[in-house]
Amino acid sequence: MSQKTVYLDVCALSRPFDDQCYLRIKLETDAVNMILSKVKQGKYRLLFSPVHIKEIEAYDNILERVELQALLNKLGEKIFVNLSRTRSRAEELVDLGFGVADAAHVAFAEEAGSIFISCDQRLIKKCLKYNIRVWCGNPVAFVKRRN
């Protein structure tokens, strides 16, 4: 792949919809927006998986659901990976204590060799503890790392 790929989980993609009164949320929102602007410029490729689709389809907030679906349709590229290997890896991660959706997101990012970005600090700590196979961190750490 000539361009770096980024895999933002739904938590990160949804950050702009969260209460912006909190500094951490505002900083993460700004970082997500910076990452998405780099995707628009062609500097990164935004990958998404079936897990994104399922999670977003379950959102009660119709506006947020439609906005996220539109964002993925406009900027995202569907991941094409070995589903058997991805499922097996997700099952390993679940056995290590990851939630099912989190394990699936991480497994897809690993299988695609993509940078994994989340706003879920507990998930990031688990990823670091178990040495997932790709870089992981929150949007602010990613932006700092790249600048």
Side-chain angles (χ1 to χ4, degrees), residues 8-36 52 55-56 59 61 64-65 67-68 71 117-124 137-140:
L8 283 78
D9 70 1
V10 177
C11 173
L13 291 171
S14 297
R15 192 48 106 195
F17 295 94
D18 294 335
D19 185 349
Q20 300 296 307
C21 292
Y22 300 97
L23 181 59
R24 175 182 167 199
I25 291 172
K26 178 69 174 132
L27 290 172
E28 288 175 344
T29 296
D30 290 346
V32 165
N33 288 330
M34 288 178 79
I35 294 165
L36 293 175
H52 285 94
E55 272 190 79
I56 292 168
Y59 273 35
N61 183 321
E64 187 172 353
R65 182 178 351 123
E67 289 283 331
L68 290 172
L71 173 75
I117 300 170
S118 178
C119 293
D120 182 338
Q121 273 312 118
R122 285 185 290 185
L123 173 57
I124 293 168
N138 71 31
V140 175

Side-chain angles (χ1 to χ4, degrees), residues 25-120:
I25 291 172
K26 178 69 174 132
L27 290 172
E28 288 175 344
T29 296
D30 290 346
V32 165
N33 288 330
M34 288 178 79
I35 294 165
L36 293 175
S37 75
K38 297 294 183 189
V39 170
K40 288 176 190 170
Q41 295 169 14
K43 300 200 189 253
Y44 297 108
R45 292 172 43 226
L46 174 66
L47 300 182
F48 71 92
S49 72
V51 186
H52 285 94
I53 305 305
K54 287 290 182 195
E55 272 190 79
I56 292 168
E57 284 175 351
Y59 273 35
D60 289 333
N61 183 321
I62 295 169
L63 175 63
E64 187 172 353
R65 182 178 351 123
V66 169
E67 289 283 331
L68 290 172
Q69 289 169 334
L71 173 75
L72 291 180
N73 287 335
K74 182 178 180 183
L75 297 179
E77 296 178 32
K78 189 174 181 181
I79 287 181
F80 292 98
V81 294
N82 181 309
L83 293 178
S84 176
R85 264 198 322 255
T86 304
R87 181 184 179 119
S88 177
R89 177 60 173 156
E91 289 169 354
E92 288 174 21
L93 294 170
V94 167
D95 289 344
L96 292 172
F98 286 71
V100 173
D102 290 341
H105 279 303
V106 171
F108 272 104
E110 282 186 331
E111 188 67 21
S114 182
I115 293 163
F116 180 71
I117 300 170
S118 178
C119 293
D120 182 338

